[in-house]
Amino acid sequence: MKTDMASRARTGPPDLWDPVVRITHWGLAVIVILNALITDGGSTLHVWLGWIGMALLLLRLVWGLLGPVEARFSAFPPGLRQAVSHLRALATGRRVGHYPSHNPAGALMIYAFWASLAVVTCTGLVLTGGATPMQVAADKAAVASGDWSALAREEADGGEDGGAFRKQVEEVHELVADLILILAVLHVAGVAVESRAMRRNLVAPMLAGLRRSRGK
Ligand code: HEM
Ligand code: HEM
């Protein structure tokens, strides 16, 4: 294991991220974009995508403990000082280090993503009273056919105080969803800058892998 880490430390991040990292990455990216920009908040589709996102996030977090070396949390620990010195090296055109997994600045961004996704998921669950997407769909159908008792469940408002609480949860949900979009813009810019500095296409390993013939 030690030799494996050491040799990767010389060569940088993997030529191809494992399938769990790739599927959870692109799955979460698509879901964030759809739910933040396209689906109707609270619609059955929005809740379905939210639940799929929750499953992908949980899978990735378990993978951080059990997955291959470069996918583990231990391969990219959060470190503010390391992140700052990495960014300083980038800004001053000094040679940046090669890391066995995500670089220290990327690592901070990634933990911020995961924490924000956890907040958006939990607040979403509070807004729907923990109802599954199937229950949400059934409640919407019941309301549409005139069963108003389903409305309270659908909105999970819990009375007057509950209404104010719900409003606050809704605000946190939307605010953190916006924060994720801002992080995503910085993230894509960061990937472009790092790829240039490392003279290595970082997106390819997240898609289908780098070809060995590309100078490796
Ligand atoms: C990737 C995760 C998610 C993102 C980016 C996201 C984003 C958003 C945004 C931007 C809104 C406000 C948009 C609008 O009012 O049309 C919203 C509303 C809402 N979301 Fe999400 N959401 C996510 C996950 C979830 C989950 C997991 C649930 C439930 C399990 C959920 C339930 C709701 C509900 C019920 C509303 C409506 C609030 C209201 O106006 O009453 N969301 N979401
Ligand atoms: C809302 C959209 C996005 C979110 C939430 C997101 C989130 C993440 C997360 C959580 C990781 C860590 C992966 C892991 O270890 O599991 C990551 C890595 C990565 N993402 Fe994204 N991402 C988004 C969009 C994109 C886009 C559009 C690109 C393409 C330019 C991209 C390229 C990458 C790359 C190349 C890495 C690996 C960086 C490295 O080598 O250290 N991401 N992203």
Side-chain angles (χ1 to χ4, degrees):
M1 181 103 73
K2 215 165 170 193
T3 332
D4 191 24
M5 282 287 274
S7 73
R8 281 181 193 286
R10 276 196 305 276
T11 55
D15 286 346
L16 178 62
W17 288 98
D18 70 75
V20 173
V21 168
R22 283 182 287 148
I23 290 167
T24 55
H25 175 263
W26 293 115
L28 284 168
V30 168
I31 286 171
V32 161
I33 289 164
L34 289 178
N35 265 6
L37 299 176
I38 295 169
T39 64
D40 244 351
S43 63
T44 307
L45 177 59
H46 185 94
V47 176
W48 260 117
L49 291 173
W51 275 64
I52 295 170
M54 172 167 63
L56 291 175
L57 179 62
L58 287 175
L59 171 62
R60 179 58 185 98
L61 295 181
V62 170
W63 206 236
L65 299 172
L66 306 177
V69 176
E70 65 270 10
R72 292 199 196 166
F73 305 131
S74 53
F76 55 104
L80 190 57
R81 252 187 321 131
Q82 291 85 333
V84 169
S85 85
H86 176 78
L87 290 176
R88 246 197 222 132
L90 265 185
T92 53
R94 269 183 289 133
R95 233 181 122 70
V96 293
H98 283 268
Y99 301 94
S101 179
H102 306 299
N103 72 65
L108 281 191
M109 165 76 69
I110 287 160
Y111 289 111
F113 265 135
W114 288 335
S116 309
L117 283 166
V119 171
V120 152
T121 305
C122 292
T123 48
L125 287 173
V126 172
L127 288 172
T128 47
T132 63
M134 284 82 80
Q135 285 168 325
V136 169
D139 284 346
K140 282 185 190 301
V143 171
S145 67
D147 173 7
W148 294 100
S149 64
L151 187 61
R153 273 202 312 276
E154 199 208 322
E155 295 198 336
D157 62 7
E160 228 162 70
D161 286 353
F165 171 69
R166 190 182 196 282
K167 218 56 256 109
Q168 284 167 357
V169 174
E170 195 183 313
E171 266 169 31
V172 173
H173 186 75
E174 293 181 18
L175 201 81
V176 179
D178 288 345
L179 173 69
I180 297 177
L181 286 183
I182 295 170
L183 287 178
V185 172
L186 293 174
H187 169 60
V188 172
V191 167
V193 170
E194 296 281 355
S195 294
R196 234 181 128 215
M198 293 174 76
R199 294 198 185 85
R200 188 169 193 269
N201 178 354
L202 288 176
V203 181
M206 207 33 109
L207 288 164
L210 283 178
R211 301 259 151 71
R212 292 251 149 216
S213 56
R214 287 199 61 217
K216 283 225 78 194

